[in-house]
Amino acid sequence: MLVDNEQILEALWETLYMTGVAFLFSLIIGFILGLLLVVTRKGHLLENEPVSKVLNVIINIFRSVPFIILMVAIIPLTRIIVGTSIGTAAAIVPLVFYAGPYIARLIENSLLEVDEGVIEAAQAMGASPFQIVFRFLIPEALSSLVLALTIAIVGLIGASAMAGAIGGGGLGDLAITYGYQRFDTLVMVVTVAILVVLVQGVQSGGNLLSRRVRRR
Amino acid sequence: MIQFEGVTKTYQSGKQEIHALNGIDLTVETGEIFGVIGFSGAGKSSLIRTVNLLERPSSGHVLIDGKDISTLSAREIRKTRKDIGMIFQHFNLLNSKTVFHNVAMPLILANTPKNKIKEQVKELLDFVGLSDQATKYPDQLSGGQKQRIGIARALATNPSVLLCDEATSALDPQTTQSILELLRRINREYNITILLITHEMGVIREICDKVAVLEAGKVIEQGTVFDVFTNPQQQTTQRFVRSVMNDELPESLLKQIQNPSRKNSIYRIQFTGTSVGQPLMSRISRKYQLDLNVLFGNITELQGAPYGNLIVEFTGPAEEIKKALADIREGNVNVEEVLNYAS
Ligand SMILES: Nc1ncnc2c1ncn2[C@@H]1O[C@H](COP(=O)(O)OP(=O)(O)OP(=O)(O)O)[C@@H](O)[C@H]1O
Ligand SMILES: [Mg+2]
């Protein structure tokens, strides 16, 4: 094997770091956008057609650009935000642009699953829009939200593997540089195995948490 | 008191306009149970939802205790809604929360102190008979129990009005009975005005004081339940009444009534109270020396009192029959000649 354990551990750490930080930021952005997508819909709490239309267009644009292209396309922006366009921190920026809109859609979907009757009951008891969102909509959708976000994390782990293209490091980078370009099958197998375990772990954790929060 | 004044509601569905309400004028007095009945699509839900502005009238006014609610600000609307409880056909409970939490919700929204919430929720659950279910979740309960939770939740803010949107339509007849009894208790014990909509005439008969019949967004008939049930004017109303009163005459009797060569007069006698019917017949028969032949009769319960309906053939001198009829009308009994019983 062309790499030692330390290199693998470091790559694993880089993957976790990129995924974790990117997830946090995308969650914040995705949550706000997703919530706005729902409440500005026709007939919803804060119906607003212009806002709804603009949001939809923007999110669709980001969602239609493949990650590998997005990464290159926003390099100038990355440079403004983190000061450099190369490295792990630089890889987080495109990851957020990739996962934010994705999470927005996932959250929109989950929130729309909540029975309209529940919202109606909330309105009938005099709840404010803020109360409706945080006391009714989100608690009722929480279990489904957790599953949706689990999907997003898995997606982010996958996308972060491409971050090597801009020197982001991580397990994906390791697999490409050593496993693919230098024909070290063992490195390939090991990194893939770690990724598989990682994804399995995240999914099981998500499933468990989702079941836990279904009733509280 | 809830007043509807020329309320209309038009929905825009694509390019099409749907006129769900076409000028509703109704008054629901404080403390009464007012029922609105109509077939599917008549506009019942649209109507009841204008009361707490879940639906804004396209024109016209809804006044609650004299105040036009559509002029209120968003904040004032929320305040008004706390004084108007609502229960739903599909209960609309939070499945992620316990029974306790569901009932406590309106109090939590109002920032009620925790110990006070505990106390009040316990009281409410006691009232609806579910104090032992507080830690359960809605999907562990039966439909009737869920509706009781819905009722407890609606009462949490001490409203003066309760809106019921097909509250028993998803329940079996027995459970419906028990929920209706609970609604009546709420009306009597707390003097809460109840406006309910339904497509079941049985519900109206069971608990309502007044009824309005809605068809194609218009009130086609309204009045006290007694008047509407005993003397329905519109065809739709007659259909609804017949669905629960079972006062259709047998075929053979209809033939007899409609026979052109019939000599004797046939009358329909409507009375309330058990003690009225039979003694009246024998008294009249004896007093005026008439032959009274009861061709058909039934008794149903109406607003808690028995209501009887007799078809009687009178045989005897015309003069005596006339006197007898006048005598019958003295009491709270309605008599009319049946010339052609159209059904
Ligand atoms: N949000 C809406 N958008 C468009 N049309 C609507 C909307 N809500 C109701 N309608 C239409 O308005 C009419 C009256 O509906 P409404 O729900 O008030 O009737 P209903 O008497 O409650 O009927 P049901 O017994 O089926 O509940 C129907 O033709 C219905 O299709
Ligand atoms: Mg309806």
Side-chain angles (χ1 to χ4, degrees), chain A residues 42 115 117-118 120-129 131 135-136 139-140 213-216, chain B residues 49 52 54 78 81-82 84 86 88 92-97 105-106 108-109 137 139-140 153:
Chain A
K42 196 164 156 27
D115 184 4
V118 168
E120 210 155 80
Q123 285 176 312
M125 61 178 89
S128 65
Q131 286 174 324
R135 294 254 178 224
F136 294 83
E140 278 297 275
V213 299
R214 197 162 75 83
R215 290 176 163 179
R216 282 180 328 130
Chain B
R49 291 157 57 85
N52 56 3
L54 285 181
R78 291 202 287 274
R81 281 174 174 166
K82 293 190 168 133
I84 305 173
M86 188 168 193
F88 306 85
N92 300 347
L93 301 172
L94 285 151
N95 286 316
S96 60
K97 303 290 183 192
M105 207 45 149
I108 295 172
L109 297 182
Y137 287 86
D139 61 8
Q140 297 169 309
R153 179 176 71 175

Side-chain angles (χ1 to χ4, degrees), chain A residues 52-74:
Chain A
S52 169
K53 276 211 168 119
V54 169
L55 276 180
N56 268 298
V57 169
I58 292 176
I59 287 172
N60 284 345
I61 289 173
F62 277 99
R63 296 269 300 118
S64 52
V65 182
F67 180 62
I68 194 87
I69 295 171
L70 186 74
M71 209 159 44
V72 182
I74 64 165

Side-chain angles (χ1 to χ4, degrees), chain B residues 122-292:
Chain B
K122 192 184 166 307
E123 229 173 88
L124 288 160
L125 287 177
D126 269 343
F127 181 77
V128 299
L130 288 178
S131 36
D132 51 340
Q133 311 284 329
T135 57
K136 292 240 174 94
Y137 287 86
D139 61 8
Q140 297 169 309
L141 302 179
S142 70
Q145 288 174 321
K146 282 188 214 171
Q147 195 57 287
R148 281 168 191 272
I149 302 303
I151 291 171
R153 179 176 71 175
L155 294 180
T157 48
N158 260 319
S160 53
V161 175
L162 182 64
L163 306 176
C164 311
D165 186 346
E166 302 268 9
T168 56
S169 299
L171 306 175
D172 63 60
Q174 225 169 335
T175 315
T176 294
Q177 278 304 324
S178 74
I179 294 294
L180 292 180
E181 266 158 41
L182 182 60
L183 290 179
R184 187 164 21 205
R185 253 178 73 209
I186 290 165
N187 172 253
R188 302 276 147 86
E189 287 179 31
Y190 298 116
N191 197 34
I192 292 178
T193 310
I194 296 182
L195 173 59
L196 66 84
I197 62 167
T198 181
H199 62 264
E200 293 170 320
M201 203 57 170
V203 170
I204 304 277
R205 180 184 63 185
E206 220 47 56
I207 62 165
C208 291
D209 302 310
K210 290 210 196 116
V211 58
V213 183
L214 202 62
E215 190 170 55
K218 284 206 186 80
V219 174
I220 55 166
E221 189 161 354
Q222 64 168 311
T224 65
V225 166
F226 189 83
D227 286 346
V228 170
F229 270 74
T230 54
N231 199 9
Q233 302 295 316
Q234 302 294 323
Q235 206 177 353
T236 302
T237 316
Q238 286 163 1
R239 269 174 77 186
F240 275 124
V241 169
R242 211 161 290 149
S243 71
V244 291
M245 295 295 272
N246 186 30
D247 67 347
E248 263 178 274
L249 304 187
E251 195 64 28
S252 58
L253 184 54
L254 278 174
K255 277 211 186 101
Q256 195 178 338
I257 292 173
Q258 281 153 359
N259 183 0
S261 60
R262 154 165 78 90
K263 284 193 227 74
N264 300 323
S265 310
I266 294 175
Y267 293 90
R268 174 199 280 274
I269 301 176
Q270 294 165 307
F271 58 91
T272 45
T274 25
S275 54
V276 186
Q278 277 311 97
L280 177 76
M281 287 303 108
S282 52
R283 183 174 65 81
I284 294 292
S285 167
R286 249 182 286 121
K287 191 166 168 192
Y288 299 96
Q289 299 289 312
L290 296 172
D291 235 352
L292 299 188

Side-chain angles (χ1 to χ4, degrees), chain A residues 40-55:
Chain A
T40 58
R41 270 179 170 246
K42 196 164 156 27
H44 220 285
L45 295 176
L46 307 169
E47 178 177 340
N48 190 323
E49 207 181 319
V51 171
S52 169
K53 276 211 168 119
V54 169
L55 276 180

Side-chain angles (χ1 to χ4, degrees), chain B residues 330-343:
Chain B
E330 288 278 293
N332 196 13
V333 177
N334 183 35
V335 192
E336 64 188 49
E337 184 161 13
V338 192
L339 296 170
N340 223 334
Y341 190 91
S343 74

